[in-house]
Amino acid sequence: MTASSRQRELLTAEQLSALPSDHPLHTTAVADSPMIAALTGRTGAHAPVWFMRQAGRSLPEYKKVREGVPMLDACLNPALAAEITLQPVRRHGVDAAIFFSDIVIPMKLAGVDVDIVPGRGPVLGTPVRTLEDIQALPELTDEALDPIREAVALTVKELGDTPLIGFAGAPFTVAAYMVEGGPSRDHLRPRTMMHADPEAWDALGQWAARTSAQFLAAQIEAGASAVQLFDSWAGSLSEADYRRFVQPHSATTLAHVAHYGVPRIHFGTGTAELLPAMLDAGADVIGVDYRLPLHTANERIGSGVPLQGNIDPALLAAGWDALKEHTDSVLESGKTAPSHIVNLGHGVPPTTDPTVLTRLVEYIHEVTAVEVR
Ligand code: 1CP
């Protein structure tokens, strides 16, 4: 598909009619913002930049408002979630906000016993390992998503012309936490389950796919102008297993929100061998981690697709000269794609000096604006 035909597919009048009349994408300020322009294959005033995990522990103002507040409580308090979402936009002048939440929030709202343990991550009271466990999972109701809709609505009101990106965990990454019962390095248990008990795996994939789909739809309807599906751990899969056991479920989630016309970014780490398969799942934009240059990603995907990425987070602490040189090469490499959304190749490390991020945003805006003129 060419860039222009892909562009026409997005944000058509018909698709915009699926969004509420007060949705930010109905305003040209948001629809033609550098972020939405690049996500739909167009060129804006400068290359847009945002950072995965831009909200969070790299910011002193985040640490302050989180004092004594458990992670999941922070996510489910609409005023606090909105405030945390806005903090990096105010401080860094990034081109988009990413909704402050977590990939386990939909399962929490469905009634699954899950918590986020400081310094560790999501932990389930009881791992989900058999077909019986999966059949006993509660269903996420639409009303349970009210705190999410409220937080998104508060956020977009404050954001004005800056778009909000909603997100969800992709079914494999969510299911990996559910089967392991917590964070793991190799995701051995879910990878075994696919082959040992394909029926159970399929049932879990379907549960995770519809739960993430509902989470995305709620954010879009409340005002998110783009979404990102995080398949953070997809890189632990072979392409064959990805296509057989994972892609159909990710495709279900992405298809569920296709009619809104908002750009859908699909991202994972260690996915150099999976990028075409991830595109085939139904994404509009591919997020690339720091291991693969964007021009190589562009070749592997077959061109015509906006790319997001992929500054190595390690370079944020390497000194300005090294970071600038690396950023220049990422920008150069990104020129091979129809459009480029600048981001890191994974999340902001908690130890990052936030002034480096602010300087990086200024630098990217400056050099890419000169190139467009
Ligand atoms: O107390 C804290 O500050 C906890 C740290 C933290 C934060 C700030 C967690 C626990 N989640 C979050 C927020 C979060 N999680 C966001 C917010 C928006 C932003 O990017 O600014 C997002 C998008 C997520 C999504 C998320 N959660 C992913 C996908 C993104 C990625 O980093 O790959 C994953 C894998 C999770 C699980 C998770 N939640 C928290 C942690 C520490 C982890 C990873 C645990 C592990 O290593 O397996």
Side-chain angles (χ1 to χ4, degrees):
M1 186 179 292
T2 65
S4 58
S5 67
R6 180 164 288 274
Q7 184 181 323
R8 273 198 304 278
E9 263 184 27
L10 293 162
L11 305 172
T12 61
E14 191 193 346
Q15 283 173 316
L16 282 175
S17 71
L19 296 171
S21 58
D22 59 349
H23 192 282
L25 277 177
H26 288 294
T27 65
T28 47
V30 172
D32 292 337
S33 63
M35 181 71 195
I36 300 298
L39 286 171
T40 53
R42 294 173 287 148
T43 305
H46 53 72
V49 50
W50 69 282
F51 303 116
M52 290 182 272
R53 291 279 170 98
Q54 63 190 16
R57 282 172 299 164
S58 66
L59 300 183
E61 58 269 37
Y62 170 81
K63 288 189 239 177
K64 186 149 176 255
V65 297
R66 275 288 317 280
E67 256 168 44
V69 186
M71 177 65 186
L72 293 181
D73 290 357
C75 294
L76 296 175
N77 175 333
L80 187 53
E83 165 59 23
I84 294 173
T85 303
L86 292 163
Q87 285 177 346
V89 181
R90 285 191 205 115
R91 182 190 265 264
H92 302 308
V94 280
D95 294 280
I98 171 106
F99 182 52
F100 178 78
S101 196
D102 195 83
I103 60 168
V104 300
I105 284 291
M107 72 173 100
K108 173 78 183 170
L109 291 175
V112 173
D113 177 13
V114 61
D115 201 1
I116 292 185
V117 176
R120 199 165 161 223
V123 175
L124 276 84
T126 318
V128 178
R129 293 189 180 154
T130 64
L131 186 58
E132 292 70 48
D133 294 342
I134 295 155
Q135 283 165 343
L137 284 171
E139 283 298 310
L140 176 60
T141 64
D142 198 45
E143 308 81 72
L145 289 161
D146 282 346
I148 301 305
R149 279 186 279 265
E150 200 184 320
V152 168
L154 284 173
T155 307
V156 296
K157 218 167 86 189
E158 293 292 319
L159 276 172
D161 299 348
T162 304
L164 175 70
I165 303 168
F167 76 92
F172 172 71
T173 291
V174 171
Y177 284 107
M178 297 177 83
V179 178
E180 293 285 355
S184 80
R185 188 188 285 228
D186 300 328
H187 317 295
L188 270 177
R189 284 193 181 92
R191 293 195 295 112
T192 298
M193 191 205 249
M194 296 172 182
H195 293 273
D197 193 347
E199 190 191 351
W201 174 258
D202 190 54
L204 181 57
Q206 286 185 33
W207 185 91
R210 61 180 178 269
T211 306
S212 283
Q214 284 170 272
F215 188 47
L216 288 182
Q219 294 169 71
I220 293 169
E221 291 197 358
S225 292
V227 288
Q228 176 156 316
L229 193 64
F230 278 96
D231 211 348
S232 303
W233 312 138
S236 69
L237 297 160
S238 66
E239 188 191 352
D241 281 355
Y242 179 84
R243 285 198 182 266
R244 181 166 163 210
F245 295 112
V246 171
Q247 191 202 54
H249 299 302
S250 297
T252 298
T253 303
L254 289 164
H256 186 78
V257 295
H259 67 288
Y260 295 114
V262 311
R264 298 159 301 168
I265 311 163
H266 199 178
F267 168 79
T269 67
T271 53
E273 305 306 322
L274 301 180
L275 295 177
M278 289 175 71
L279 180 66
D280 289 347
D284 304 301
V285 177
I286 290 290
V288 182
D289 88 347
Y290 57 87
R291 294 170 184 85
L292 191 72
L294 292 176
H295 62 270
T296 311
N298 189 55
E299 275 164 26
R300 290 192 182 187
I301 288 169
S303 302
V305 181
L307 294 182
Q308 175 175 282
N310 66 350
I311 295 170
D312 185 343
L315 271 286
L316 294 172
W320 178 250
D321 290 346
L323 176 59
K324 181 174 165 300
E325 193 183 323
H326 173 64
T327 300
D328 287 342
S329 82
V330 168
L331 292 174
E332 195 56 36
S333 196
K335 283 182 193 159
T336 56
S339 55
H340 178 199
I341 301 94
V342 186
N343 204 318
L344 303 178
H346 201 180
V348 174
T351 49
T352 303
D353 172 356
T355 64
V356 172
L357 294 175
T358 310
R359 188 172 177 191
L360 187 58
V361 172
E362 278 168 12
Y363 178 72
I364 291 162
H365 284 171
E366 197 183 294
V367 292
T368 60
V370 171
E371 285 166 11
V372 172
R373 261 181 235 136

